[in-house]
Amino acid sequence: MTYDRWEPTAFKARVDEVLQPFVAQEADRFAAIDPLLGPVAEQLEAAVADGKRMRAAFCYWGWRAAGQPDSEALVRAAASMELVHAAAVVHDDLIDDSPLRHGRPTPHVALRGAVRRRPRAVATARSLAMLVGDLLMSMAGQLFTTSGLPAAYLARARPLWSVLARELIAGECLEILHTGAEPDVTASLKVIRYKTAKYTVEHPLLIGGALGGAGERLREGYSAYGLPLGEAFQLRDDLIGLFGDPERTGKANADDVRGQRPTALLAETWRTAGDGDREQLRALLGRRDADGEALHAVREVMSRLKTPDRVEDMITARVEEALGALHELDTPPYAATALTALAHSATIRLS
């Protein structure tokens, strides 16, 4: 099999062959400490059961675009990006109190069954879920450092891990601090950049590039490609989250409305809304029962103000910016082709 083409299904299989046995082994070791830990261990495995493995793919092609050959050790290192993602998702769902992910209960909901006979069962389940996320992040570092790549290669990339963690957590904190505040487009785009864009595209590319010895110009090009593409990815996610089919997305439509989260979709709606629409939105946003009629009403305001169309334009502009930056880079043609395909795969999604 040639690995000079972007083949999503084949690549996902390669990552899963690394990721799932690794997590299963770590979950078994964790559960062996005490039988009470069994349900927590199950959530470790559940956290990596799904996903397109896009972050691993950007890490892999960051390595290949630096002129490096295919490498099983690199695939192991790239798979660690998926553990970073799993940790971030567990924490994010906990913070947002989201009930579903991939059509299944999120860890803080699933773990209620294991502690239902205990006092403060809901709070206990939330605490356990927080620790699931912490352990997944620790496992990411373990998988990366035991990937089999030479120590000198790992040393080039290790400083980027602290940057990744700092910026990811900063983005999550900014989302928390802006939640419930008056929507603002600039603030929402900053949240998107730090909470999602960087750890989804830019940092995996930079880590793969650092492992592969990428020079300064190539690293700058990775950021010029990765940041707008990561923003486009999250803008698409916001649209799907509110207007998509829950049967396909596996997530609840009303989460962003119920939580009054600082999405660009909401901020752009607020920017163009008149006094009457803003008054209606104030009455609808943040309600715990914001589904059914309330959700329909928010969608109706957004559609009437043509917000989805403007967000689509924002996505298109960012993808074009990313591809323009990519075409300026001196990379092997097969890597440029793969990164072009990844850009479309990341932003033209139905679920």
Side-chain angles (χ1 to χ4, degrees), residues 27-96:
D28 287 346
R29 289 170 174 167
F30 182 77
I33 294 170
D34 192 289
L36 278 175
L37 297 172
V40 182
E42 289 174 7
Q43 291 306 309
L44 293 170
E45 294 191 74
V48 298
D50 300 287
K52 299 178 178 69
R53 310 312 184 205
M54 197 178 315
R55 291 155 187 86
F58 282 117
C59 184
Y60 176 85
W61 288 104
W63 161 274
R64 297 300 307 276
Q68 294 285 2
D70 180 67
S71 160
E72 291 301 325
L74 188 280
V75 172
R76 284 184 62 81
S80 68
M81 297 293 101
E82 297 300 325
L83 286 169
V84 172
H85 176 53
V89 164
V90 170
H91 284 150
D92 192 48
D93 287 341
L94 175 61
I95 291 164
D96 292 342

Side-chain angles (χ1 to χ4, degrees), residues 5-326:
R5 292 197 307 270
W6 167 234
E7 297 175 341
T9 302
F11 183 78
K12 173 178 162 53
R14 289 183 77 187
V15 173
D16 285 346
E17 285 171 7
V18 170
L19 195 61
Q20 291 176 352
F22 173 80
V23 174
Q25 183 180 60
E26 289 302 309
D28 287 346
R29 289 170 174 167
F30 182 77
I33 294 170
D34 192 289
L36 278 175
L37 297 172
V40 182
E42 289 174 7
Q43 291 306 309
L44 293 170
E45 294 191 74
V48 298
D50 300 287
K52 299 178 178 69
R53 310 312 184 205
M54 197 178 315
R55 291 155 187 86
F58 282 117
C59 184
Y60 176 85
W61 288 104
W63 161 274
R64 297 300 307 276
Q68 294 285 2
D70 180 67
S71 160
E72 291 301 325
L74 188 280
V75 172
R76 284 184 62 81
S80 68
M81 297 293 101
E82 297 300 325
L83 286 169
V84 172
H85 176 53
V89 164
V90 170
H91 284 150
D92 192 48
D93 287 341
L94 175 61
I95 291 164
D96 292 342
D97 202 22
S98 297
L100 292 174
R101 173 78 60 167
H102 297 297
R104 292 194 299 269
T106 47
H108 67 278
V109 175
L111 284 164
R112 290 176 192 170
V115 296
R116 63 183 180 275
R117 299 185 187 281
R118 297 175 179 271
R120 302 180 67 246
V122 170
T124 299
R126 292 177 64 83
S127 297
L128 292 172
M130 177 183 68
L131 295 168
V132 168
D134 292 346
L135 186 50
L136 286 164
M137 186 63 84
S138 172
M139 288 161 58
Q142 180 187 351
L143 181 58
F144 184 78
T145 57
T146 60
S147 61
L149 288 171
Y153 289 27
L154 296 173
R156 291 195 296 245
R158 194 169 291 118
L160 296 175
W161 277 79
S162 61
V163 180
L164 183 158
R166 178 171 60 246
E167 295 185 341
L168 171 56
I169 293 170
E172 191 70 69
C173 288
L174 285 172
E175 183 181 60
I176 292 168
L177 292 168
H178 284 296
T179 292
E182 182 168 299
D184 176 80
V185 174
T186 300
S188 294
L189 290 175
K190 191 167 193 177
V191 168
I192 283 173
R193 173 163 287 208
Y194 282 91
K195 183 191 166 192
T196 303
K198 284 176 166 283
Y199 99 89
T200 297
V201 185
E202 185 196 24
H203 286 310
L205 275 170
L206 288 173
I207 288 171
L211 290 169
E216 182 179 357
R217 187 173 182 277
L218 184 55
R219 295 195 306 270
E220 289 173 353
Y222 284 170
S223 291
Y225 162 88
L227 282 172
L229 181 58
E231 290 178 0
F233 170 87
Q234 185 57 45
L235 290 168
R236 172 66 63 208
D237 205 57
D238 289 345
L239 275 175
I240 291 171
L242 191 57
F243 287 93
D245 179 359
E247 292 293 319
R248 299 191 68 172
T249 67
K251 294 188 281 188
N253 280 132
D255 279 359
D256 289 345
V257 173
R258 188 183 295 118
Q260 199 173 342
R261 296 177 195 151
T263 65
L265 185 62
L266 175 57
E268 183 63 20
T269 300
W270 188 267
R271 185 183 69 81
T272 56
D275 291 342
D277 285 330
R278 287 188 175 187
E279 184 177 350
Q280 184 181 8
L281 289 170
R282 282 193 190 97
L284 295 169
L285 297 172
R287 285 172 42 176
R288 300 304 300 172
D289 63 344
D291 47 22
E293 291 184 9
L295 180 61
H296 176 76
V298 171
R299 286 169 167 164
E300 192 278 329
V301 171
M302 289 180 171
S303 297
R304 178 161 42 79
L305 295 175
K306 300 190 183 305
T307 309
D309 293 339
R310 291 197 302 280
V311 172
E312 286 284 358
D313 291 341
M314 293 166 70
I315 293 169
T316 299
R318 282 162 172 76
V319 172
E320 289 176 353
E321 180 183 350
L323 293 178
L326 176 62

